Amino acid sequence: MSLKLIEKHRSFGGEQRKYTHYSEVLKCEMTFSIYLPSNKEMREIPLIWWLSGLTCTDDNFSQKSGFQRLAERYQVAVMIPDTSPRGEHVADHDGWDLGKGAGFYLNATQDPWAKNYHMYTYIVDELSAIASTLVPYFSGEESIMGHSMGGHGALVIGMKSATRFKAISAFSPILSPARVPWGIKAFSTYLGEDQAAWKKWDASELIKEGGMPPILITQGTEDHFYREQLDETHFLKNAEENNQIVHYEKKEGYDHSYFFIATFLEDHFSFHMQHLR
Amino acid sequence: MSLKLIEKHRSFGGEQRKYTHYSEVLKCEMTFSIYLPSNKEMREIPLIWWLSGLTCTDDNFSQKSGFQRLAERYQVAVMIPDTSPRGEHVADHDGWDLGKGAGFYLNATQDPWAKNYHMYTYIVDELSAIASTLVPYFSGEESIMGHSMGGHGALVIGMKSATRFKAISAFSPILSPARVPWGIKAFSTYLGEDQAAWKKWDASELIKEGGMPPILITQGTEDHFYREQLDETHFLKNAEENNQIVHYEKKEGYDHSYFFIATFLEDHFSFHMQHLR
């Protein structure tokens, strides 16, 4: 394995690390970040996954959310993947909502994307195997959270492996990708025009299966992507019709930024820890 | 006054704002950030100044420190200036430790710097007047903190107006600029070769005057600038000889980054609030 530690910072008693490695799944060099709490008592510790939004790398959450304070308080490791395959030879697009920085956490089937854009398998298989070697005293318990495109990713990945993840949460997620511009653009590009293929990557479809982990969603009312891209109506209707409990909360005056995430992250960690221990 | 609000984010109940304005002192367009706590009870609130380090803008502390949680908890406003004059017509230097992003919080006397590089007067006069109009229910009480070059700035500005600032604190500050490469380079460029002129911008000299506000300094032991740029020996010796109490603490394993600042910022806010109320 080509895993290489490229950064290490002490943070709130634990360690914020950054690694690069060659991904066999994505066929390119990748970077990710991980936080390891101090774990002075050498207890078994769980792992929370964080998936970031469009244009982000592993740095946004690491540097802007202040999550390390909470991860150390709760003694939980946090894994932060990048948002797409990277590198000169990887297909890209002029827009910021497609191609690099916009992998949508799915496995692409259309050329030229099918060669590298397999963020789903990268996270659930390859990066998961790496995480389990990096977290000392790993309890095997996992949960997943994310923001915007990464909120979509957390919901889709969490629901596709509903027995593996103990809780799912999202800030301002894309809840019905097949009905909004960001999702339609990404799905038609990565998966093709046949909308039947879109359903297995659509949180509003997956939730119909029922039996999902507990879900918490937080949305700011002043988020300027809210009406066009992040509408919750269809998702919540499907959840209700299938007896899936979703804690959906709106926060007055908050926008789409990390200032919003940082404010309510403590609620999300608290929610996850209720189900991780 | 040309003050223009260019960003506003709700954060931990309060507001994180960014403004631009034309500075008469610096003779250029400037940007700064300010946090206003919710102040629901409409009490009088104090103001903490944050001065950033080399290469920073007002964004680093705003986005990476998580300070808003503490400012809201303590109901204190926080003012975050940029680190130098800005703009096409402002003198600059190839290196990252001189020119733009490296104003050193002093008033330059040497050409071509003397035209714009007056960060000291900009902060203590012009930006202070603006701050007092922006903070509702401002109590008039102020304190100052900073990091690295901004730690030097906080100490120098705080000590030059020892009755105005109720407390001073710094993370990994340049304590003896006249004895270290960063300071010698900046002082000889901005102030000229006559070292007599350096003394009024040197924390290790100013502290000899005694009667300074309470001072807290936190330094990481794994900071790779520590030995060469941030040595504390001379400053602490001068403090002790003049009966000035300085709380100087080293933190094992921490580096020069915002991961370090975020970890110990709660201690600094707590220290400031003891003296602000």
Side-chain angles (χ1 to χ4, degrees):
Chain A
M1 195 163 61
S2 64
L3 199 61
K4 192 176 160 195
L5 179 67
I6 58 167
E7 266 188 48
K8 195 172 75 167
H9 306 276
R10 197 159 200 186
S11 172
F12 286 92
E15 251 183 31
Q16 179 70 34
R17 297 185 186 176
K18 187 192 276 283
Y19 288 91
T20 57
H21 71 118
Y22 182 79
S23 164
E24 300 290 345
V25 171
L26 304 179
K27 303 197 189 324
C28 63
E29 195 75 13
M30 291 294 288
T31 302
F32 67 88
S33 286
I34 189 169
Y35 182 79
L36 301 174
S38 61
N39 196 18
K40 286 176 199 142
E41 298 173 15
M42 295 184 285
R43 292 198 186 158
E44 291 206 320
I45 59 173
L47 174 67
I48 296 178
W49 291 79
W50 172 270
L51 304 184
S52 294
L54 288 164
T55 76
C56 289
T57 68
D58 58 306
D59 281 337
N60 301 64
F61 188 65
S62 302
Q63 297 182 357
K64 293 183 171 184
S65 72
F67 84 84
Q68 294 89 351
R69 181 179 66 90
L70 302 165
E72 175 64 14
R73 179 206 285 173
Y74 289 118
Q75 292 294 306
V76 56
V78 178
M79 186 75 174
I80 310 160
D82 201 349
T83 55
S84 76
R86 299 284 179 180
E88 262 181 62
H89 304 295
V90 168
D92 201 4
H93 182 273
D94 285 344
W96 53 271
D97 52 1
L98 210 61
K100 290 179 196 169
F104 271 82
Y105 304 103
L106 50 71
N107 290 341
T109 56
Q110 306 298 300
D111 286 331
W113 314 99
K115 187 188 166 201
N116 303 100
Y117 284 74
H118 294 271
M119 287 298 289
Y120 175 74
T121 300
Y122 170 62
I123 288 168
V124 299
D125 289 346
E126 191 174 19
L127 209 49
S128 293
I130 293 173
S132 68
T133 70
L134 289 180
V135 180
Y137 302 93
F138 180 34
S139 70
E141 288 166 312
E142 294 171 271
S143 67
I144 190 161
M145 54 170 81
H147 173 229
S148 197
M149 174 184 75
H152 143 78
L155 286 158
V156 167
I157 291 176
M159 291 199 279
K160 283 168 98 72
S161 302
T163 55
R164 173 174 164 185
F165 295 99
K166 308 296 180 218
I168 304 172
S169 79
F171 293 89
S172 23
I174 305 170
L175 287 170
S176 301
R179 295 169 170 238
V180 303
W182 279 341
I184 292 168
K185 187 173 179 180
F187 283 8
S188 58
T189 303
Y190 296 142
L191 304 171
E193 295 300 338
D194 177 9
Q195 298 202 11
W198 299 9
K199 294 196 174 182
K200 62 178 177 176
W201 305 106
D202 185 332
S204 288
E205 293 297 323
L206 293 168
I207 202 156
K208 291 180 182 171
E209 294 170 22
M212 297 303 173
I215 297 172
L216 168 65
I217 296 170
T218 306
Q219 173 66 52
T221 62
E222 295 302 308
D223 181 337
H224 62 282
F225 297 117
Y226 179 28
R227 301 291 164 202
E228 191 181 8
Q229 308 280 6
L230 313 172
D231 188 87
E232 75 279 22
T233 322
H234 184 60
F235 177 81
L236 292 182
K237 180 174 156 285
N238 288 357
E240 197 183 352
E241 284 176 7
N242 293 279
N243 303 310
Q244 174 66 42
I245 294 172
V246 174
H247 306 271
Y248 185 89
E249 48 182 38
K250 290 189 195 179
K251 297 296 184 180
E252 196 62 35
Y254 285 88
D255 62 22
H256 200 71
S257 69
Y258 270 82
F259 295 112
F260 160 63
I261 295 171
T263 301
F264 299 105
L265 194 61
E266 189 158 345
D267 298 344
H268 282 237
F269 266 71
S270 166
F271 173 78
H272 282 248
M273 295 313 296
Q274 282 168 36
H275 301 287
L276 280 170
R277 276 200 175 131
Chain B
M1 193 163 61
S2 64
L3 198 61
K4 192 176 158 195
L5 179 67
I6 58 166
E7 266 188 49
K8 193 171 77 168
H9 305 275
R10 198 158 198 187
S11 172
F12 287 91
E15 253 183 31
Q16 179 70 34
R17 298 185 186 176
K18 187 190 274 284
Y19 288 91
T20 57
H21 71 118
Y22 181 80
S23 164
E24 300 291 344
V25 172
L26 304 180
K27 304 199 189 321
C28 63
E29 195 75 13
M30 290 294 287
T31 302
F32 66 87
S33 287
I34 188 169
Y35 181 80
L36 301 175
S38 60
N39 196 15
K40 285 176 200 143
E41 298 173 13
M42 295 184 284
R43 291 196 186 159
E44 291 207 320
I45 59 174
L47 174 66
I48 296 177
W49 292 79
W50 172 270
L51 305 184
S52 294
L54 288 165
T55 78
C56 289
T57 68
D58 58 306
D59 281 337
N60 302 64
F61 188 65
S62 301
Q63 297 182 357
K64 294 183 170 183
S65 72
F67 83 84
Q68 294 91 351
R69 180 178 68 90
L70 302 164
E72 175 64 15
R73 179 205 286 173
Y74 289 118
Q75 291 296 304
V76 57
V78 178
M79 187 75 174
I80 311 160
D82 201 349
T83 55
S84 76
R86 300 283 179 181
E88 262 182 62
H89 304 292
V90 167
D92 201 4
H93 182 272
D94 285 343
W96 55 270
D97 53 0
L98 210 60
K100 290 180 196 170
F104 272 82
Y105 305 103
L106 49 72
N107 290 341
T109 55
Q110 305 298 300
D111 287 331
W113 314 98
K115 187 189 165 201
N116 303 101
Y117 283 73
H118 294 270
M119 288 298 289
Y120 174 74
T121 300
Y122 170 63
I123 288 170
V124 299
D125 288 345
E126 192 174 20
L127 209 49
S128 294
I130 292 174
S132 68
T133 70
L134 289 180
V135 180
Y137 303 92
F138 180 35
S139 70
E141 288 166 312
E142 294 170 273
S143 66
I144 191 162
M145 53 171 82
H147 173 229
S148 197
M149 173 185 76
H152 144 77
L155 286 158
V156 167
I157 292 176
M159 290 199 281
K160 282 168 97 74
S161 301
T163 55
R164 173 174 164 184
F165 296 98
K166 308 295 180 217
I168 304 171
S169 80
F171 293 88
S172 24
I174 305 169
L175 287 168
S176 301
R179 294 168 172 240
V180 303
W182 279 341
I184 292 167
K185 187 173 179 180
F187 282 8
S188 58
T189 303
Y190 296 143
L191 304 172
E193 295 300 337
D194 177 10
Q195 297 202 11
W198 299 9
K199 293 194 173 182
K200 61 179 176 175
W201 305 107
D202 184 333
S204 288
E205 293 297 322
L206 292 168
I207 202 157
K208 292 180 182 170
E209 295 170 21
M212 297 304 172
I215 297 171
L216 168 65
I217 297 170
T218 306
Q219 173 66 52
T221 61
E222 294 303 308
D223 181 337
H224 62 282
F225 297 117
Y226 179 28
R227 299 291 162 203
E228 190 180 9
Q229 308 280 7
L230 312 172
D231 188 87
E232 76 278 22
T233 322
H234 185 60
F235 177 82
L236 293 182
K237 179 174 158 284
N238 288 357
E240 196 182 352
E241 283 175 7
N242 293 278
N243 303 310
Q244 174 66 41
I245 294 172
V246 174
H247 307 270
Y248 185 89
E249 48 182 38
K250 290 189 195 178
K251 297 294 183 180
E252 196 63 34
Y254 285 88
D255 62 22
H256 201 70
S257 70
Y258 269 82
F259 295 112
F260 159 63
I261 295 170
T263 301
F264 298 105
L265 194 59
E266 190 159 344
D267 298 344
H268 282 237
F269 265 70
S270 166
F271 173 79
H272 282 249
M273 295 313 295
Q274 282 169 35
H275 301 287
L276 280 169
R277 274 196 176 135

